[in-house]
Amino acid sequence: MAGQIPDLNAKVRAGTGKGAARQARRDGDVPGIVYGGGIDPQSINIPFNYLLTTLRKGRFMSTLFNLKVEGQDDVRVICRGVQRDVVKDLPIHIDLMRLKRTSRVNLFIPVEFINGDTCPGIKKGGVLTVVRNEVEMDVLAGDIPDHLTVDLANAQMGDVIHISDVTLPEGAKPVIDRNFVIANISAPRGLLASTDDDEATDAA
């Protein structure tokens, strides 16, 4: 289970319709709607500066949030749309969808490398090059893994580690439908240059 699901703070918006939304913007908020989960939609406001900061952190559309509204139980949500001002490109409305524990969602899961200190390839001077430090996964909202683990205990110099080499958490699967590269252990540049020089000498 993911250790920390980021909070998204909001407040209930009094009134509905365009008039209430315009008033929210005048008050420095971004109006939004929360729907799904088998209950009625709810109108909310999120402070503009707070939302803009959160958006600029990236991955907003693929991040699971813990929506906190004063006086209500926290609920897990994911963003399904951000409307922006066509001139200023700033958020003017947000759509959030409630998720049940059994809902499936695409999220970026960080990759953790272990046993690098005993990795044969690294001990021989190889360099670990990380191609993906996170992988977009299709996971259950109620069972989100903290990370994907890549064990380097038996990795040799020249090895290429693909997603198929990683033991995935139960119920999780990559969004990309191909055997993509996670990392590789390459020879240091000095060794490569030395090998090239040796080959050139042999050829001569």
Side-chain angles (χ1 to χ4, degrees):
M1 186 66 188
Q4 290 187 338
I5 297 175
D7 290 338
L8 187 64
N9 298 304
K11 52 192 175 184
V12 176
R13 172 158 38 101
T16 58
K18 293 182 178 179
R22 282 195 293 267
Q23 183 60 50
R25 296 185 188 104
R26 285 194 292 268
D27 293 340
D29 293 326
V30 176
I33 189 80
V34 187
Y35 63 91
I39 56 179
D40 292 339
Q42 181 179 41
S43 298
I44 60 169
N45 288 336
I46 300 177
F48 174 84
N49 289 333
Y50 168 73
L51 177 59
L52 188 61
T53 298
T54 307
L55 284 169
R56 286 175 173 170
K57 290 179 180 178
R59 306 290 197 202
F60 188 83
M61 297 292 291
S62 57
T63 298
L64 185 68
F65 289 101
N66 183 48
L67 181 66
K68 302 180 76 70
V69 178
E70 186 176 356
Q72 300 182 10
D73 292 336
D74 294 354
V75 61
R76 291 182 178 182
V77 299
I78 191 166
C79 182
R80 283 297 180 243
V82 178
Q83 296 177 31
R84 296 176 180 269
D85 182 279
V86 294
V87 177
K88 299 180 180 179
D89 194 35
L90 296 174
I92 57 174
H93 191 276
I94 184 170
D95 294 333
L96 302 173
M97 185 176 71
R98 303 182 188 98
L99 293 175
K100 298 179 180 178
R101 293 181 64 85
T102 54
S103 300
R104 300 199 69 88
V105 60
N106 293 351
L107 297 175
F108 284 90
I109 307 299
V111 178
E112 179 180 280
F113 296 88
I114 62 172
N115 295 321
D117 54 340
T118 59
C119 172
I122 294 177
K123 291 179 73 173
K124 292 177 182 178
V127 178
L128 175 66
T129 300
V130 178
V131 178
R132 293 177 185 265
N133 56 17
E134 59 182 7
V135 176
E136 189 175 12
M137 303 289 294
D138 178 349
V139 299
L140 284 170
D143 195 17
I144 301 169
D146 287 307
H147 57 268
L148 304 181
T149 301
V150 176
D151 191 347
L152 300 173
N154 298 312
Q156 303 291 334
M157 192 181 302
D159 282 357
V160 178
I161 301 166
H162 295 82
I163 188 64
S164 61
D165 300 316
V166 181
T167 300
L168 300 179
E170 185 175 355
K173 58 183 180 180
V175 171
I176 299 175
D177 188 23
R178 58 181 171 80
N179 193 23
F180 53 86
V181 174
I182 298 292
N184 62 69
I185 299 179
S186 57
R189 290 184 176 179
L191 180 59
L192 289 173
S194 176
T195 301
D196 290 343
D197 289 342
D198 291 344
E199 290 179 352
T201 300
D202 291 342

